[in-house]
Amino acid sequence: MPLIPEEPQIHESAQGPRATASTPRPVPGPRSAASPRPGRPGPGPARPAAPASHPHPGAGQPPAKRPENRSDQRTTPQLQLIPAPVDGALDAAEEALDLLLETGRAPGEILVLTTGDPHPWAAHELSFGEAAYWAQQDTGDDVFFADASAVERATTRPVVIVAVNGGDEETAARALPAAMARAGALLVVCGDPQRITALLGAGAGV
């Protein structure tokens, strides 16, 4: 019986498809300061990693340097109105926040208020208790999201964004003037322009 030499077996599993190794990953652009921002709720305890991420050049930021010292500037911030439907006001506020961060604003300079449903980050952090939630505002290291009904507890920041995304008229009417008083340099209001104008007028008369 003739002997057939054994041929080496080639395992082709090593030659599998290679294209699957590179999965495209979305990159949100040059937002190094915004990466720790709380806009997308994650694990609660992991958030205090923000203080080290302040290599913020500060170029073009002289007007934002502590306007609290001048009461006249603090009570008359620049007002910017962004038209949006009620169900799109929070998205418009998020876009305004992204733009501010990308153009150089530090996260700790921005306060975001909602008149209707709370921002997902606020709802997430409140699940750990109010003390821990408000303590994050006091550190001033990151964007802070709060309900407009609690605007009296909010501290002054250079920029305040208000999403008029529902809520009763009385709360919204009181929140807008209060937000303006807490905005050191800029107040951005996202919502229906006619309603916002009426609310500002009603709030001024309260």
Side-chain angles (χ1 to χ4, degrees), residues 55-69:
H56 186 61
Q61 279 231 84
K65 300 252 181 177
R66 294 291 170 208
E68 296 92 3
N69 296 333

Side-chain angles (χ1 to χ4, degrees), residues 141-163:
D141 294 323
D142 217 335
V143 180
F144 190 75
F145 297 82
D147 191 280
S149 61
V151 66
E152 282 76 15
R153 294 189 64 176
T155 56
T156 299
R157 291 198 175 191
V159 181
V160 177
I161 303 174
V162 181

Side-chain angles (χ1 to χ4, degrees), residues 173-190:
R174 292 179 180 275
L176 288 178
M180 182 173 290
R182 281 156 180 76
L186 175 64
L187 173 64
V188 181
V189 185
C190 307

Side-chain angles (χ1 to χ4, degrees), residues 31 139 144 170 196:
R31 199 198 297 157
T139 60
F144 190 75
E170 183 179 356
I196 291 170

Side-chain angles (χ1 to χ4, degrees), residues 38-142:
R40 290 154 186 87
R47 194 150 293 110
S53 66
H54 270 164
H56 186 61
Q61 279 231 84
K65 300 252 181 177
R66 294 291 170 208
E68 296 92 3
N69 296 333
R70 297 188 180 183
S71 58
D72 56 340
Q73 291 184 4
R74 188 180 62 171
T75 54
T76 56
Q78 179 185 351
L79 175 62
Q80 182 176 351
L81 201 159
I82 300 178
V86 173
D87 58 356
L90 190 55
D91 289 336
E94 283 278 347
E95 292 178 6
L97 174 60
D98 287 341
L99 181 61
L100 286 165
L101 293 170
E102 288 169 2
T103 53
R105 281 286 178 185
E109 295 180 342
I110 304 173
L111 167 69
V112 180
L113 301 171
T114 55
T115 63
D117 292 336
H119 189 276
W121 180 88
H124 175 77
E125 293 299 326
L126 278 168
S127 67
F128 297 100
E130 285 204 14
Y133 166 74
W134 287 105
Q136 295 187 56
Q137 175 188 234
D138 297 336
T139 60
D141 294 323
D142 217 335

